[in-house]
Amino acid sequence: MFPLHHLLLLGALLFSAGLLVVITKRNAIMVLLGIELMLNAANLNLVAFNQLYSQQLNGQMFALFVIIVAVCEAAVGLAIVLRVYQYYQTSTPDEVTELKD
Amino acid sequence: MSLVTFMFYFFECVTAVAAISLVFIRNVFYGALLLIVCLLSLAGIYILTFAEFVAITQILIYAGGVLVVIIFGVMLTAKISGKPLVVQHGNVLGGVLVSGAFFMLLTWLITTQTFREQEPAIATSDSAMINAIGIGLMTDFILPFEVAGILLLVALIGAAIIASTIKSKKV
């Protein structure tokens, strides 16, 4: 069995790295990558705490549903990014300031 | 140090290095590849923490689905000039402050906690656990399972309609 602290610290590192990517990168696809990283940090915590209770599977179930939601988010997010790129010819979130023409 | 312990820390190091270098990388395509390295080594950690089904799902969905979608996105949003898509950085000071402070806070919280002792691992076979997951999906977790199905359907239709190039009628 591995110490729980190491898993949780790795999760904290992943979440902070994802947050930094979301804040600093000026490209919508990189922002989506950062969000995936943050969702996986949450997943890692769920699996790590599920390890404490080896008879129950609630944490793993939640991790599976988080993965499903992450996939939906990636698909719809990339579709929106493509649409915005076709319209504005840019994928920088800061330059997209209007919702309609 | 046994082989399993070595594997565990190896996967942890790979995940951490990939996540940190994702912060510094400027090429979006390399960023997508780094994210996949990070997620696959996370799957290795899941296997070592007795979550085999989650690990297999992670590999199937991320390496098979999300990677392909993201790389399609990168290729479709790159300007056709042969140059790679390079990202500028903005809000560097604020981002470093916010995420650094958050990481420090989490580290302090985690290292000062004492968690419950882990139950000794009961030697259940893998098929028994996958059995339990399948039975759980059809009994205790039937509502989230069905809602996840509806969510996937809605996301499929929504993504197809949003990304389709057929001009919609102006309202």
Side-chain angles (χ1 to χ4, degrees), chain A residues 1-2 5-6 8 15-16 20 24-26 33 36 40 43 52 55 60-61 70-71 78 83 85, chain B residues 9 12 23 25 39 50 58 61-62 69-70 77 88-90 95 102-103 110 113 118 122 133 162 164:
Chain A
M1 302 295 278
F2 311 106
H5 290 90
H6 295 174
L8 296 184
F15 195 91
S16 307
L20 189 54
T24 56
K25 301 283 183 186
R26 301 190 67 228
L33 295 188
E36 293 288 328
N40 273 279
N43 248 348
L52 287 186
Q55 289 296 326
Q60 296 190 27
M61 289 293 184
V71 167
L78 276 165
R83 200 73 185 141
Y85 184 78
Chain B
Y9 288 108
E12 277 212 333
V23 174
I25 204 98
L39 300 180
F50 306 106
Q58 173 109 346
I61 289 184
Y62 279 107
V69 172
I70 285 176
T77 57
Q88 304 297 318
H89 290 178
F102 192 67
F103 181 63
I110 290 169
Q113 294 291 319
Q118 289 171 344
I122 292 132
I133 287 180
I162 290 173
S164 70

Side-chain angles (χ1 to χ4, degrees), chain B residues 52-137:
Chain B
E52 293 92 352
F53 192 76
V54 181
I56 298 298
T57 313
Q58 173 109 346
I59 293 173
L60 275 178
I61 289 184
Y62 279 107
V66 174
L67 172 70
V68 175
V69 172
I70 285 176
I71 287 179
F72 263 107
V74 172
M75 288 175 176
L76 287 174
T77 57
K79 291 201 173 65
I80 307 171
S81 57
K83 283 187 294 185
L85 189 59
V86 175
V87 188
Q88 304 297 318
H89 290 178
N91 299 327
V92 176
L93 182 65
V96 169
L97 276 180
V98 168
S99 65
F102 192 67
F103 181 63
M104 291 298 171
L105 178 70
L106 281 179
T107 310
W108 176 72
L109 278 175
I110 290 169
T111 47
T112 52
Q113 294 291 319
T114 51
F115 294 106
R116 178 181 176 280
E117 278 298 304
Q118 289 171 344
E119 292 171 4
I122 292 132
T124 48
S125 63
D126 298 346
S127 59
M129 206 184 66
I130 293 173
N131 249 339
I133 287 180
I135 292 172
L137 276 181

Side-chain angles (χ1 to χ4, degrees), chain A residues 1-2 7 43-54 56-64 67, chain B residues 8 39-59 121 124-126 129-130 133:
Chain A
M1 302 295 278
F2 311 106
L7 286 169
N43 248 348
L44 183 63
N45 275 20
L46 288 172
V47 171
F49 280 113
N50 187 57
Q51 196 192 2
L52 287 186
Y53 301 90
S54 53
Q56 298 179 12
L57 289 172
N58 294 2
Q60 296 190 27
M61 289 293 184
F62 269 92
L64 288 175
I67 289 177
Chain B
F8 178 72
L39 300 180
L40 288 183
S41 48
L42 263 182
I45 293 177
Y46 291 161
I47 288 179
L48 294 176
T49 51
F50 306 106
E52 293 92 352
F53 192 76
V54 181
I56 298 298
T57 313
Q58 173 109 346
I59 293 173
T124 48
S125 63
D126 298 346
M129 206 184 66
I130 293 173
I133 287 180

